[in-house]
Amino acid sequence: MLVDAAPLDSIRHLIGQMPAASDEAAAAARARQAELTKPQGSLGRLEEIAAFLASWQGKLAPTLDRPLVAVFAANHGVVAKGVSAYPPSVTRAMMQNFSAGGAAINQICGAFGVGLKVFELALDIPTKDITEEPAMEAAETAATFAFGMEAIDGGVDLLCVGEMGIGNTTIAAAIFYALYGGSAADWVGRGTGVEDEALARKIAAVETAVALHRPFLSDPLEVMRRLGGREIAAMAGAIVAARMQNIPVVLDGYVVCAAAAILHALDKNALDHCLAGHLSAEGAHGEVLRRLGKVPLLDLGMRLGEGSGAALAVGLIKAAVACHTGMATFAEAQVAGKVADGAKI
Amino acid sequence: MLVDAAPLDSIRHLIGQMPAASDEAAAAARARQAELTKPQGSLGRLEEIAAFLASWQGKLAPTLDRPLVAVFAANHGVVAKGVSAYPPSVTRAMMQNFSAGGAAINQICGAFGVGLKVFELALDIPTKDITEEPAMEAAETAATFAFGMEAIDGGVDLLCVGEMGIGNTTIAAAIFYALYGGSAADWVGRGTGVEDEALARKIAAVETAVALHRPFLSDPLEVMRRLGGREIAAMAGAIVAARMQNIPVVLDGYVVCAAAAILHALDKNALDHCLAGHLSAEGAHGEVLRRLGKVPLLDLGMRLGEGSGAALAVGLIKAAVACHTGMATFAEAQVAGKVADGAKI
């Protein structure tokens, strides 16, 4: 079971070098918010979002000129264990649906003017069945992480991370079980809609996989290599690349958070540049977000993946940026400010 | 205290004639949702929204070509009791800010392509101080309700109701206290940001007003006339007019829900064509929504008014309509459907 750890150490090294936010830009954004024609704090999380974007973009006025949804797609050997309600051919079929503009994520991106890029990760060669052996070799894991990093170019000013892959809620559940403990059933949801026997098989697969790899799972990068699919590694790379390029990130649901959780386990500040787009109806997503320290922007009972919850949250972010940059100040609009507390008028 | 009840009875008559939704359109929309390239139910409330719009627009494919935010503005005699953190001149100053495009609602409407109309309701003649006399005469109440009805023309396919009016969270609190009981403090929030003595004055004003008018408050239309401001009556009219014209409505926050609550008290089905845009951070909005039977689409700690929470929800509704009308079906995209439950693949 010995592997060459060097490729994974390059990831560890990178995570140690992640830049921090600009406190100056955040303070300037908050100061501007206090001047805008509204009672202070009355835009709630829209005000926080504006300051968050400013701090990570390092700009006094955050922009949302080129938001991007990056969807990473992969197939999984564990599907052979009967853990999904859909056949693995659906992963590739959905690639064509994305290309033709027929998927949910196409419509949501269209509604908010968000770019969409889909990255296929060797769909015809599923990762190994995690109930029997590690999903990936170390070099393959590192290369996939690097591929995810390269997918993000500097023109993007907001990155939404999404995924597609029949079987990947099983993968995500295994990762959470490995990282957070409890029982396998705590982390297994219905995915695309498994019930009864298929759900039991899914729980059993997660249990078997984590038991098999247990001796190596104290290292989050081994969790990623042994249990993770290629989309998990690529999404982790994309999240890190965004950080390196001052691009704030919106996380999607359960599977995306498995990639995020790997990074968080390596460094608890690794996700500081990330917003949780929504609370997914899948499995224990709320529990995952609690552990990641994220309060989701939306809670609409969605559980589709594709980056759909993150893309939907871009609507809110768009409004937050528009308010921050477009509103008049009290002085500009010649609106009277608050009267002294306690004064009758 | 005798008044001519006839003008208010015309409102009562109208509410008795409100049309129902099209069950046929809702069923057709749900059938289409089941055919789209996603696991069934995986778009959560976006699927419900699509069926809701279809049922109230009476169309198999709901549209969102002309969404409108209608903001009704008024001033309130009770402000003389020192219940607000801002002077009443701010109501008119904000009208200019709306016209100049500098308010939050301008930015949110701009972000989602939503039209904005602002209706001033005699700002220079505040309604009477509700702690001393009824806010309005019956004829004035009915005329203002009718004005609100006329504000909505048939080309609109989604109506967001909003308001602006220094002092109107006091008015809303008095209405909720009158309708729902409890204590005045249960319903009084901080509005634009009152604290300490001003908050105590606000609670006292609500208490005094409701005690004064108590003998007449078993009739919701008397609640509206005696405690309500003009924007309350106009918004109630707009909500009813939308129903009559098959236009679904998005309610904004605390003050808008006071108008909605009057209608709901008259007829518990009066708000069936309404979505709750968001949960406001103002006062007991959550408790109000629970009584109205509405689950808010957003919960972002906003408490600005202007229709801002409702307009923000239009982003979600836009995405819901885009998914419903733009997604490919499994057959169109040649994506395999769900395998038989329990089958291994």
Side-chain angles (χ1 to χ4, degrees):
Chain A
M1 298 295 269
L2 274 176
V3 292
D4 176 12
L8 297 183
D9 282 341
S10 65
I11 297 174
R12 232 180 294 273
H13 180 69
L14 203 59
I15 287 169
Q17 297 183 313
M18 290 186 305
S22 164
D23 291 340
E24 193 191 357
R30 281 193 205 98
R32 175 168 168 78
Q33 282 290 335
E35 295 296 314
L36 299 177
T37 42
K38 58 177 174 54
Q40 211 168 334
S42 63
L43 281 177
R45 294 194 72 185
L46 296 194
E47 300 188 16
E48 288 170 28
I49 290 170
F52 171 89
L53 290 186
S55 74
W56 287 103
Q57 292 181 347
K59 296 174 188 171
L60 304 189
T63 60
L64 200 59
D65 297 330
R66 275 194 59 196
L68 176 71
V69 174
V71 176
F72 296 91
N75 272 321
H76 301 272
V78 73
V79 169
K81 292 293 190 288
V83 296
S84 177
Y86 286 80
S89 62
V90 164
T91 305
R92 179 168 294 290
M94 284 300 293
M95 298 300 101
Q96 316 239 298
N97 199 23
F98 292 144
S99 299
I105 190 61
N106 298 99
Q107 320 314 318
I108 299 173
C109 285
F112 301 129
V114 180
L116 173 62
K117 284 190 185 175
V118 181
F119 300 94
E120 287 187 29
L121 299 160
L123 297 188
D124 297 333
I125 311 164
T127 49
K128 302 287 196 297
D129 181 348
I130 60 170
T131 66
E132 297 179 358
E133 55 190 315
M136 295 177 280
E137 298 299 323
E140 184 185 1
T141 307
T144 308
F145 185 97
F147 177 88
M149 289 195 71
E150 283 161 26
I152 311 310
D153 76 45
V156 169
D157 50 17
L158 182 74
L159 175 68
C160 297
V161 181
E163 46 60 46
M164 171 71 217
I166 296 301
N168 69 10
T169 59
T170 302
I171 294 300
I175 290 172
F176 294 129
Y177 179 35
L179 293 175
Y180 301 143
S183 73
D186 292 343
W187 303 103
V188 171
R190 296 183 180 277
T192 48
V194 292
E195 292 173 6
D196 306 327
E197 286 174 40
L199 184 61
R201 285 196 298 267
K202 189 170 175 179
I203 294 168
V206 168
E207 219 147 48
T208 304
V210 172
L212 173 69
H213 301 290
R214 179 64 79 194
F216 307 92
L217 300 180
S218 60
D219 176 1
L221 291 178
E222 279 296 300
V223 173
M224 181 163 86
R225 178 178 89 77
R226 290 171 172 272
L227 301 176
R230 291 196 190 93
E231 74 275 59
I232 302 291
M235 291 192 290
I239 293 168
V240 170
R243 176 72 159 258
M244 296 299 184
Q245 297 176 62
N246 302 313
I247 304 169
V249 167
V250 187
L251 303 173
D252 193 38
Y254 201 63
V255 179
V256 172
C257 283
I262 301 279
L263 299 173
H264 186 257
L266 285 164
D267 179 340
K268 69 177 169 32
N269 300 316
L271 304 180
D272 288 356
H273 65 306
C274 301
L275 296 169
H278 79 134
L279 175 64
S280 169
E282 172 66 13
H285 191 222
E287 181 59 26
V288 170
L289 289 178
R290 202 183 60 73
R291 285 167 188 263
L292 299 180
K294 302 291 178 191
V295 180
L297 290 169
L298 293 167
D299 176 8
L300 296 167
M302 292 166 65
R303 51 179 172 79
L304 176 59
E306 301 181 1
S308 55
L312 199 58
V314 175
L316 306 182
I317 298 169
K318 201 173 168 180
V321 169
C323 287
H324 186 77
T325 57
M327 281 178 74
T329 63
F330 279 102
E332 285 164 358
Q334 298 185 289
V335 175
K338 199 172 170 177
V339 299
D341 275 345
K344 281 183 83 164
I345 47 178
Chain B
M1 300 295 269
L2 277 176
V3 292
D4 177 12
L8 296 183
D9 283 341
S10 66
I11 297 175
R12 232 180 294 272
H13 180 69
L14 203 58
I15 287 169
Q17 297 182 314
M18 291 187 305
S22 163
D23 291 341
E24 191 190 359
R30 281 193 204 98
R32 176 168 165 79
Q33 282 290 335
E35 294 296 313
L36 299 176
T37 42
K38 58 178 173 53
Q40 211 169 332
S42 63
L43 281 176
R45 293 194 72 186
L46 296 194
E47 300 188 17
E48 287 170 28
I49 290 170
F52 172 89
L53 290 186
S55 74
W56 287 103
Q57 292 181 346
K59 295 173 188 171
L60 303 189
T63 60
L64 200 59
D65 297 330
R66 276 194 59 197
L68 176 71
V69 174
V71 176
F72 296 91
N75 272 322
H76 301 273
V78 72
V79 169
K81 293 291 189 290
V83 296
S84 178
Y86 286 80
S89 63
V90 165
T91 305
R92 179 168 294 290
M94 284 300 293
M95 297 301 100
Q96 316 238 300
N97 199 22
F98 292 145
S99 298
I105 190 61
N106 299 98
Q107 320 315 317
I108 299 172
C109 285
F112 301 129
V114 180
L116 173 62
K117 284 191 184 174
V118 180
F119 300 93
E120 288 186 30
L121 299 160
L123 298 187
D124 297 332
I125 311 164
T127 49
K128 302 287 196 297
D129 180 349
I130 60 170
T131 65
E132 297 178 0
E133 54 191 317
M136 295 178 280
E137 298 299 322
E140 184 185 0
T141 307
T144 309
F145 185 96
F147 178 87
M149 288 194 72
E150 282 161 25
I152 310 312
D153 76 43
V156 169
D157 52 14
L158 182 74
L159 175 69
C160 297
V161 182
E163 47 59 46
M164 170 71 217
I166 296 300
N168 69 9
T169 59
T170 302
I171 294 299
I175 290 171
F176 294 129
Y177 180 35
L179 292 175
Y180 301 143
S183 73
D186 292 343
W187 302 103
V188 171
R190 295 182 181 277
T192 49
V194 292
E195 292 172 6
D196 306 328
E197 287 175 39
L199 185 61
R201 284 196 298 268
K202 190 171 175 179
I203 294 169
V206 168
E207 221 148 45
T208 304
V210 172
L212 173 68
H213 302 290
R214 179 66 79 193
F216 307 91
L217 300 180
S218 60
D219 176 1
L221 291 178
E222 279 296 299
V223 173
M224 181 162 87
R225 178 178 87 78
R226 289 170 172 273
L227 301 176
R230 290 195 191 93
E231 73 277 58
I232 303 290
M235 290 192 291
I239 293 168
V240 171
R243 175 71 160 259
M244 297 298 185
Q245 296 176 64
N246 301 313
I247 304 168
V249 167
V250 187
L251 303 173
D252 193 37
Y254 201 62
V255 179
V256 172
C257 284
I262 301 280
L263 299 173
H264 186 256
L266 286 164
D267 178 340
K268 69 178 170 30
N269 299 315
L271 304 179
D272 288 356
H273 65 307
C274 301
L275 296 169
H278 78 134
L279 174 64
S280 169
E282 172 67 12
H285 192 221
E287 182 59 25
V288 170
L289 289 178
R290 201 182 60 73
R291 285 166 189 264
L292 300 180
K294 302 291 179 191
V295 180
L297 290 168
L298 294 167
D299 176 7
L300 296 167
M302 292 166 65
R303 51 177 173 80
L304 174 59
E306 302 181 0
S308 55
L312 198 57
V314 175
L316 306 182
I317 298 168
K318 201 173 166 180
V321 169
C323 287
H324 186 78
T325 57
M327 281 178 74
T329 62
F330 279 102
E332 284 164 359
Q334 299 186 291
V335 174
K338 199 171 170 178
V339 297
D341 276 344
K344 283 184 79 162
I345 48 179

